[in-house]
């Protein structure tokens, strides 16, 4: 299970990141462990305490998260709940960048590795790969496109527009599957969402 944000350094002081708290990913990791799974949690920088009965690997950047995920293979299930930064600064300064007059500063960004796609296409591919999509607009359209493009089995859609979901205790998800189904769940606590997802995973693996 991946959880939380990634922080992509600009200099020793500053970074590019996002508002993910890790609450949902951590809850999924704990729910899997309580259901009897042996769980490795790859967590970005969060204040959320480590879940019970889980091996937690702490990372900072997207590349570090990918490396930790690949090291954890082979696994039966991969849940990519982390809000991974899509981009990172191409150049990282070794000293704090100072203002120089009133001239604007330009930062060139490059793409980070795609963890969800990498795991979905791995020669050690898990039996079930679950991705997450945090969208602010055109959620269903974007989620369906992401499900097809990444090659994962399930995609959990979150509407994070207007400050929803990130850092909150509750969540409203839509669970999309490769068979074309899309089911929107009622609003519930993130621990309840986690238990529901784990129950779905258990049914699939049992089948």
């Amino acid at each position: 299970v991946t959880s939380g944000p990634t922080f992509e350094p600009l200099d020793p002081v500053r970074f590019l990141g996002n508002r993910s708290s890790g609450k949902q990913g951590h809850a999924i990791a704990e729910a899997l462990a309580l259901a009897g799974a042996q769980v490795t949690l790859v967590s970005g920088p969060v204040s959320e305490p480590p879940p019970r009965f889980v091996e937690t690997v702490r990372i900072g950047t997207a590349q570090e998260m990918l490396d930790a995920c690949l090291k954890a293979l082979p696994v039966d299930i991969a849940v990519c709940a982390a809000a991974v930064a899509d981009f990172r600064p191409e150049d990282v300064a070794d000293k704090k960048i100072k203002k120089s007059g009133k001239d604007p500063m330009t930062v060139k960004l490059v793409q980070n590795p795609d963890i969800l796609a990498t795991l979905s296409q791995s020669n050690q591919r898990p039996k079930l790969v679950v991705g997450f999509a945090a969208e602010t607009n055109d959620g269903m359209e974007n989620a369906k496109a992401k499900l097809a493009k990444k090659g994962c089995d399930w995609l959990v859609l979150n509407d994070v527009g207007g400050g929803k979901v990130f850092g909150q205790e509750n969540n409203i998800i839509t669970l999309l599957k490769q068979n074309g189904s899309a089911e929107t769940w009622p609003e519930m606590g993130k621990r309840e969402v986690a238990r529901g997802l784990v129950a779905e995973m258990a049914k699939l693996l049992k089948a």
Side-chain angles (χ1 to χ4, degrees):
V1 181
T2 69
S3 184
T6 64
F7 286 176
E8 310 299 329
L10 179 62
D11 62 20
V13 177
R14 305 177 182 92
F15 60 84
L16 299 180
N18 59 64
R19 295 182 173 88
S20 174
S21 66
K23 289 179 182 294
Q24 187 64 84
H26 279 51
I28 292 170
E30 184 170 282
L32 280 165
L34 292 173
Q38 180 180 340
V39 182
T40 298
L41 173 67
V42 182
S43 174
V46 298
S47 57
E48 197 72 10
R52 298 172 291 167
F53 317 120
V54 167
E55 177 189 355
T56 300
V57 179
R58 297 185 180 277
I59 57 83
T61 68
Q63 184 61 57
E64 291 170 353
M65 180 170 280
L66 175 60
D67 292 343
C69 288
L70 294 177
K71 186 177 179 180
L73 295 179
V75 297
D76 293 312
I77 303 171
V79 181
C80 296
V84 182
D86 291 328
F87 301 94
R88 68 182 186 274
E90 183 176 47
D91 298 311
V92 180
D94 58 0
K95 297 179 180 178
K96 181 181 176 182
I97 299 171
K98 298 288 189 179
K99 289 186 290 187
S100 57
K102 296 182 179 180
D103 293 333
M105 177 182 174
T106 300
V107 178
K108 186 175 182 180
L109 302 177
V110 294
Q111 286 194 33
N112 267 324
D114 191 321
I115 297 171
L116 178 58
T118 299
L119 293 177
S120 296
Q121 299 162 21
S122 169
N123 57 9
Q124 291 184 296
R125 191 190 193 282
K127 296 175 184 176
L128 175 65
V129 181
V130 182
F132 274 64
E135 301 291 345
T136 59
N137 58 281
D138 302 320
M140 283 297 294
E141 180 181 343
N142 291 333
K144 289 178 180 178
K146 182 173 183 177
L147 180 63
K149 181 179 179 181
K150 305 294 185 180
C152 55
D153 302 294
W154 296 356
L155 194 75
V156 179
L157 169 63
N158 289 301
D159 179 1
V160 298
K164 298 191 292 290
V165 180
F166 281 151
Q168 305 299 311
E169 296 299 329
N170 288 358
N171 202 353
I172 301 176
I173 70 160
T174 299
L175 178 60
L176 296 88
K177 299 181 180 179
Q178 279 288 359
N179 63 9
S181 69
E183 180 183 357
T184 299
W185 295 6
E187 181 174 352
M188 63 185 78
K190 290 183 176 179
R191 290 182 182 274
E192 292 177 272
V193 171
R195 289 193 291 269
L197 289 172
V198 170
E200 288 285 315
M201 295 173 199
K203 285 193 294 185
L204 178 69
L205 291 183
K206 185 177 180 180

